[in-house]
Amino acid sequence: MLNDLDKILISEDQIKSRVKELASELYKDYGPDEEITVISIINGAILFTADLVRNLPGPVRIDCIRVSSYGDETTPIGEPKITSTLSLDLKGRHVLLVDDIFDTGNTISKVYHYLEEMQPTSIKTCVLLEKKARRIVEFEVDWVGFQIPDEFVVGYGLDYAQRYRNLRCIGVLKTALQPA
Ligand code: IMP
Ligand code: MG
């Protein structure tokens, strides 16, 4: 799989230490006793969420939401669609929405507004990556792991055509492997 990368953008060690840092920032912000309801946008945020919550020593509940906007292409196909429901009740809870990457902003803002309707006490957002150059939605996330350039990346949960999610680093896919 590593041979399919043009370059490694973020190494496994860099990811590990930044995830730890993010978790301690979250822990400091929420405090030791506040229960956080973590909502992970799957499949992309699976790995990030798993590592993030393992570094949170306080009480956490976890649920997942499935959103689809990409097919086998590297550009989004229309509006993101929420294709699953949550099983946890969010009313009166502190919600932390977690995603792999904040790209155009469509996905996070769509899910954010969906969660708002469930009347949580608060909603904060945390993404591992942000591609500032591609923003089209006015929305600010609360925690960002890394700023990255406008390149299509895979690994650590991020896929191309459902592959490469299990790479331990994050890298830029060779252009020849991307659709024309
Ligand atoms: P947004 O709705 O444009 O912000 O896109 C967010 C979603 O697009 C993420 O949850 C990813 O699944 C996907 N995405 C955006 N950029 C990339 C990329 O470079 N590699 C893989 N997936 C990406
Ligand atoms: Mg995704």
Side-chain angles (χ1 to χ4, degrees), residues 40-46 64-68 84 98-99 165:
S40 178
I41 304 181
I42 56 170
N43 299 326
I46 285 182
C64 296
I65 191 159
R66 188 177 288 278
V67 177
S68 65
S84 73
V98 178
D99 203 4
R165 292 195 199 274

Side-chain angles (χ1 to χ4, degrees), residues 61-140:
R61 301 189 307 161
I62 303 172
D63 204 349
C64 296
I65 191 159
R66 188 177 288 278
V67 177
S68 65
S69 58
Y70 283 73
D72 282 359
E73 307 294 324
T74 52
T75 46
I77 305 162
E79 268 271 291
K81 280 194 185 68
I82 295 170
T83 61
S84 73
T85 51
L86 292 171
S87 48
L88 293 180
D89 183 11
L90 305 187
K91 196 170 177 185
R93 303 298 185 141
H94 292 287
V95 170
L96 178 69
L97 179 59
V98 178
D99 203 4
D100 51 1
I101 185 166
F102 187 42
D103 186 24
T104 63
N106 279 320
T107 305
I108 286 251
S109 68
K110 174 107 191 187
V111 177
Y112 186 96
H113 295 302
Y114 173 78
L115 299 180
E116 253 182 342
E117 285 171 23
M118 296 170 195
Q119 300 172 289
T121 299
S122 70
I123 312 178
K124 298 235 168 133
T125 49
C126 177
V127 295
L128 181 68
L129 308 174
E130 180 175 16
K131 275 189 208 167
K132 267 218 166 103
R134 298 214 344 131
R135 176 80 41 77
I136 57 170
V137 171
E138 215 171 292
F139 192 92
E140 290 300 320

